[in-house]
């Protein structure tokens, strides 16, 4: 009986893995990880040097001493004082904004435009179908009215 139960659990797990949204999620995670490397490269190779033209290339080195005197050890840890490392927050924010912009402009916006075109085509097909149906109905009414006019006013169509 336990073998049958294990088989049922295995089948359920297999069915869970084969569902479309689980596979899509796995693909999204893999692509997201690769995309993160690209964004980090853009930040380190383009954004940081642009910021470096004003100050230093490494955004992580920007900080402020909240309660001094602030001293940093050789390994980059704060040995005394209270240090706010706002440069690393700025770098992470820039990475997020670049990622969000690229995802929006290269994935979300084109997909939204594609779906809008598909919907417009579908509505256009339905709209022409309705126009044809209305036109046929109007033609039939005109034929009826013409027949009534030919028969004379004393006869009615039932």
């Amino acid at each position: 009986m336990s073998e049958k139960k294990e088989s049922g659990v295995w089948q359920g797990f297999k069915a869970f893995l084969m569902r479309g949204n689980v596979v899509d999620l796995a693909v999204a995670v893999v692509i997201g990880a690769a995309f993160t490397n690209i964004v980090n490269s853009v930040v380190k190779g383009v954004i940081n040097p642009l910021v470096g033209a004003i100050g230093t290339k490494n955004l992580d080195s920007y900080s402020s001493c909240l309660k001094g005197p602030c001293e940093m050890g050789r390994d980059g840890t704060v040995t005394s004082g209270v240090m706010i490392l706002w440069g690393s927050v700025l770098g992470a924010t820039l990475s997020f904004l670049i990622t969000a912009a690229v995802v929006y402009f290269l994935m979300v916006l084109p997909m939204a435009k594609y779906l809008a075109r598909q919907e417009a085509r579908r509505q256009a097909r339905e709209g022409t179908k309705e126009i044809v149906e209305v036109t046929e109905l109007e033609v039939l009414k005109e034929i009826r009215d013409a027949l009534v006019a030919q028969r004379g006013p004393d006869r009615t169509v039932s």
Side-chain angles (χ1 to χ4, degrees):
M1 179 150 203
S2 66
E3 191 174 306
K4 196 174 197 181
K5 190 174 186 178
E6 285 181 23
S7 173
V9 170
W10 178 251
Q11 291 297 329
F13 182 67
K14 191 174 168 184
F16 169 73
L17 289 179
M18 291 300 134
R19 285 188 358 200
N21 53 358
V22 173
V23 174
D24 292 343
L25 180 61
V27 170
V29 168
V30 170
I31 289 174
F35 188 68
T36 300
N37 290 334
I38 293 171
V39 170
N40 288 337
S41 297
V42 169
V43 169
K44 288 179 184 174
V46 177
I47 303 296
N48 286 353
L50 290 175
V51 172
I54 300 169
T56 179
K57 281 186 180 181
N58 187 4
L59 289 177
D60 293 340
S61 65
Y62 288 106
S63 61
S64 298
C65 185
L66 187 62
K67 184 177 178 184
C70 293
E71 295 179 14
M72 301 269 294
R74 288 185 178 204
D75 60 351
T77 59
V78 178
T79 56
S80 68
V82 177
M83 183 81 69
I84 296 178
L85 305 172
W86 59 270
S88 60
V89 174
L90 179 63
T93 303
L94 286 173
S95 294
F96 171 76
L97 290 175
I98 291 169
T99 303
V102 169
V103 166
Y104 180 75
F105 289 112
L106 294 182
M107 295 177 197
V108 173
L109 192 61
M111 183 58 78
K113 286 183 179 181
Y114 171 76
L115 292 175
R117 276 195 313 257
Q118 293 294 88
E119 182 64 20
R121 286 181 189 153
R122 186 188 64 76
Q123 286 181 352
R125 284 191 303 260
E126 287 179 2
T128 56
K129 184 178 177 184
E130 288 175 8
I131 290 171
V132 168
E133 289 175 2
V134 168
T135 304
E136 289 175 1
L137 183 62
E138 289 176 359
V139 168
L140 290 173
K141 285 180 181 179
E142 289 176 9
I143 292 171
R144 181 200 64 200
D145 293 342
L147 289 173
V148 167
Q150 285 177 353
R151 288 186 182 173
D154 57 344
R155 295 182 178 172
T156 59
V157 177
S158 359

